[in-house]
Amino acid sequence: MGGPTRLPAAAGIDIGGTTTSAVVIGDDGAIVAEASLPTPAREGGTAMFRTAVRVCEMAMSRGRFELTAVGVGAAGVIDPADGSILAASNSFRDWAGYPLASDLRMALHVPVVVENDVNAFIEGERRIGAARGLDDVLGMTLGTGVGGALVIGGGLHTGPNGAAGEIGHVPGFGNQRCSCGRTGHLETLASGPAIARRYLERRGSGNGAAELTAVDVAAAAREGDPAAAAVFDDAGRAVATAAVMVATLVDVTHVVVGGGVARAWDLLQPAIEAGIAAEPPVSEQPITVVASLLGVHAVAVGAAFLADRGVCT
Ligand SMILES: [Zn+2]
């Protein structure tokens, strides 16, 4: 074809509950292009797949790149054998069972790796983010739900059933109904929807505020609204308790917190630190809980690194 040389680059795609985004990373691991679109979660798996392809092509069109591999971080349980979606939350229509990796491979003509979004998140943070250099760390994402990924001895610890690290669904955090159908899970205090719902309950205003989000509650807390501050305090203390549980059980004392709710780190951090100080682990090892450095890019960056490393299915 001729023309200027194209730079070999890997792309990472993050298929999240509200936004699908892509990044292109160059040889040195830096983000060289990005793009995003709303996730058509209610339109079904095919629409979500098409959006993933489009957002990848949009990011690729922002430079002269030669696509070498694509990594995807997707919500849900991913089949490690073929990169299909084994199970997904009810907010995604027709997503469970979707053959995501094989469809992307056919559409983009490069090797494709699909990984759970929280696993991709902690990979991104370990490569160029807040967990760089850490071989033992818990990644926790506070978003539509609460996700977890446990890295032990430099590798992702998935457990014999692939269920390790699901910190969002440990019980003992009150009596509210969780998205999974059970009661009192960490997610019922620390997810974005939980923060919005608990704020409305405290205010006694259930009606007419369906559009309220954790971002609005954070703004109210910063303006001195005590109900909003209390909800973030509860979320932070719950995150601290979860961190102490993990430190106590498996001696992992570093936690990186991402997801949309972590953008209110100014509101969460004091409660997290107070919670850890109030219930330190019996080992008396210090626990470090920090916010994601890569923010909205963490999942896509981690997915791109996973693809680039050639862990292809
Ligand atoms: Zn649950």
Side-chain angles (χ1 to χ4, degrees):
M1 299 240 286
T5 315
R6 290 176 179 267
L7 291 173
I13 305 173
D14 172 11
I15 304 178
T18 53
T19 304
T20 298
S21 60
V23 299
V24 179
I25 56 171
D27 278 349
D28 59 352
I31 299 172
V32 289
E34 59 182 286
S36 65
L37 288 170
T39 301
R42 307 211 175 277
E43 291 169 38
T46 304
M48 288 168 64
F49 155 72
R50 286 195 184 128
T51 299
V53 171
R54 238 188 98 212
V55 84
C56 183
E57 289 171 345
M58 282 164 62
M60 291 299 294
S61 73
R62 291 179 182 165
R64 293 192 62 82
F65 309 118
E66 184 189 337
L67 188 60
T68 56
V70 169
V72 183
V77 182
I78 313 301
D79 188 337
D82 66 2
S84 66
I85 311 294
L86 277 179
S89 108
N90 294 334
S91 55
F92 296 103
R93 220 189 102 213
D94 296 335
W95 192 228
Y98 196 87
L100 185 61
S102 64
D103 278 13
L104 284 171
R105 224 171 272 135
M106 274 189 281
L108 298 167
H109 312 290
V110 291
V112 173
V113 178
V114 178
E115 182 55 91
N116 168 269
D117 57 352
V118 190
N119 295 350
F121 162 80
I122 197 61
E123 177 72 12
E125 294 293 340
R126 288 186 67 211
R127 296 293 288 261
I128 59 169
R132 203 193 293 221
L134 295 179
D135 283 339
D136 300 278
V137 59
L138 175 74
M140 200 190 293
T141 54
L142 315 179
T144 311
V146 171
L150 190 57
V151 173
I152 295 180
L156 195 66
H157 179 77
T158 55
N161 304 301
E166 284 292 353
I167 193 78
H169 299 282
V170 287
F173 293 88
N175 55 14
Q176 291 190 323
R177 190 88 156 167
C178 187
S179 68
C180 69
R182 304 247 160 80
T183 300
H185 292 175
L186 171 63
E187 185 171 301
T188 66
L189 294 185
S191 74
I195 285 168
R197 188 192 65 240
R198 298 187 77 244
Y199 173 66
L200 290 174
E201 282 169 5
R202 277 180 175 263
R203 294 275 310 266
S205 54
N207 291 335
E211 302 299 311
L212 187 112
T213 68
V215 174
D216 303 314
V217 183
R222 291 184 190 112
E223 281 164 21
D225 181 334
V231 166
F232 271 98
D233 192 70
D234 289 346
R237 292 212 172 233
V239 167
T241 301
V244 173
M245 285 177 174
V246 172
T248 305
L249 198 61
V250 289
D251 192 24
V252 168
T253 54
H254 286 88
V255 182
V256 179
V257 184
V261 175
R263 267 170 260 163
W265 196 247
D266 55 321
L267 301 171
L268 289 171
Q269 188 181 25
I272 291 171
E273 287 177 356
I276 289 170
E279 326 171 70
V282 72
S283 67
E284 291 184 20
Q285 288 297 312
I287 297 177
T288 309
V289 182
V290 298
S292 156
L293 257 187
L294 301 178
V296 293
H297 297 308
V299 172
V301 166
F305 276 118
L306 286 168
D308 206 29
R309 205 168 59 188
V311 193
C312 299
T313 53

